[in-house]
Amino acid sequence: MIDTIVLPPIEALTAKDIVASLDLVAEIDRLRREKNAVILAHYYQNSTLQDLADYVGDSLDLSRKAASTTAEVIVFCGVRFMAEVAKILSPQRTVLLPDAAAGCTLEESCRPEEFRSFRESHPEHIAVTYINCSAEVKALSDVIVTSSNAEWIVRQLPQDRPVLFAPDQHLGRYISGKTGRAMTFWPGSCVVHTQFSVSALEHLKAQHPQAVVVAHPECPEHILAYADHIGSTRSLLDFSVKTTAAEIIVATEPNLIHQMVKAAPGKKFIPVPGASGTCNGGLSALCPYMALNTVEKLYLCLINGAPRVEMPGWLMQEARKPLELMLELSPPAKKQ
Ligand code: 13P
Ligand code: SF4
């Protein structure tokens, strides 16, 4: 695996250099102006990071923002594959990631060398790859998709070619069911979305009989079967605002609820609990990778100019092709 992150130098500031009296929010504001930086945050970041960001969005929204920004520096409050996408689509920008270890189980499940063999053993297939993967896996793919454009893009693929879908088998199965396209799946799954149980969901539905259920398509089929709406984080947010239901059971990472409450303050949002003893040892289904980013680390990465995404030119060039095809085949962007 190619390491795409440049760590801060030995002499860089660390958490122990931050004095308790420092107003971190004011400092982050000063640094973002001084360095001409834009802060992008995914909906799974903690609420403080979301509120500090210039833009909050799902993977597709944030890819588009990264591709179109004129800022010199992009600070990506999200996970590594998202920051890599920002660098690939905006190579002239400096791209910072507050915590270098912010990975993703889907990315980890799909090693480039194994993915290469998977492709080689299916030479007739089109490789449709979920954006939650490494830059190297993107470089080996024909087209990238996110949870918000996958169905739209798969419907545009030539009918006479079989499809490989990697790395999330649950999203793949869901899209295959929606489009009627047979697919061969990579056996990956997300640690957050595979921990929801039918019994916890049924319990919540019994407690809130009027509630509707929204679910991310990374959830397995047995959870999606209960959903009134399935979609990307952005789509779950939009649906929750529009629905006439006053109570919404949310089967995804619970930080999304921060934006739901802001957009529809009169409604009740109920997170489906995670499996006890897994993510962060608690009942909340937090993404352990997203949770690595903090306000302190955001401040430090702006000061230090690292952790920073860097990758070889050939890799950026090869990974850009399926990403640009994704942007070309995507539905028009909705206003935020
Ligand atoms: P979205 O593209 O729906 O924001 O999903 C990203 C993700 O990592 C879900 O686990
Ligand atoms: Fe990866 Fe799952 Fe975390 Fe999304 S929620 S970043 S898919 S581990």
Side-chain angles (χ1 to χ4, degrees), residues 61-71 74 89-90 93:
D61 295 330
L62 296 175
S63 304
R64 284 172 157 152
K65 281 284 177 227
S68 64
T69 186
T70 53
I74 299 171
L89 294 176
S90 245
R93 319 279 169 221

Side-chain angles (χ1 to χ4, degrees), residues 42-44 57-60 81-82 130-132 146-148 190 193 216 218 231-234 290:
H42 188 264
Y43 291 124
Y44 294 166
D58 68 10
S59 306
L60 181 61
F81 77 80
M82 297 178 176
Y130 190 31
I131 198 164
N132 296 37
T146 76
S147 55
S148 71
C190 158
H193 293 88
H216 195 278
E218 286 175 17
S232 76
T233 48
R234 163 79 178 277
M290 292 275 183

Side-chain angles (χ1 to χ4, degrees), residues 168-250:
D168 188 49
Q169 59 179 304
H170 302 296
L171 173 65
R173 245 175 233 120
Y174 171 68
I175 299 299
S176 171
K178 292 287 277 186
T179 58
R181 278 305 280 260
M183 294 181 183
T184 302
F185 305 114
W186 181 269
S189 57
C190 158
V191 67
V192 173
H193 293 88
T194 48
Q195 66 181 297
F196 300 133
S197 72
V198 166
S199 60
L201 193 48
E202 281 187 342
H203 182 68
L204 287 179
K205 278 178 70 78
Q207 283 180 315
H208 305 274
Q210 306 300 325
V212 293
V213 177
V214 297
H216 195 278
E218 286 175 17
C219 293
E221 233 167 351
H222 59 262
I223 296 293
L224 296 182
Y226 287 83
D228 297 287
H229 182 74
I230 298 167
S232 76
T233 48
R234 163 79 178 277
S235 165
L236 302 187
L237 171 61
D238 290 348
F239 176 85
S240 300
V241 173
K242 278 193 213 121
T243 177
T244 52
E247 294 190 321
I248 297 131
I249 297 172
V250 182

Side-chain angles (χ1 to χ4, degrees), residues 119-148:
R119 276 225 72 174
E120 283 169 359
S121 55
H122 299 88
E124 305 302 321
H125 290 61
I126 304 179
V128 178
T129 306
Y130 190 31
I131 198 164
N132 296 37
C133 65
S134 64
E136 279 176 278
V137 166
K138 287 185 177 76
L140 293 165
S141 303
D142 292 313
V143 64
I144 302 301
V145 296
T146 76
S147 55
S148 71

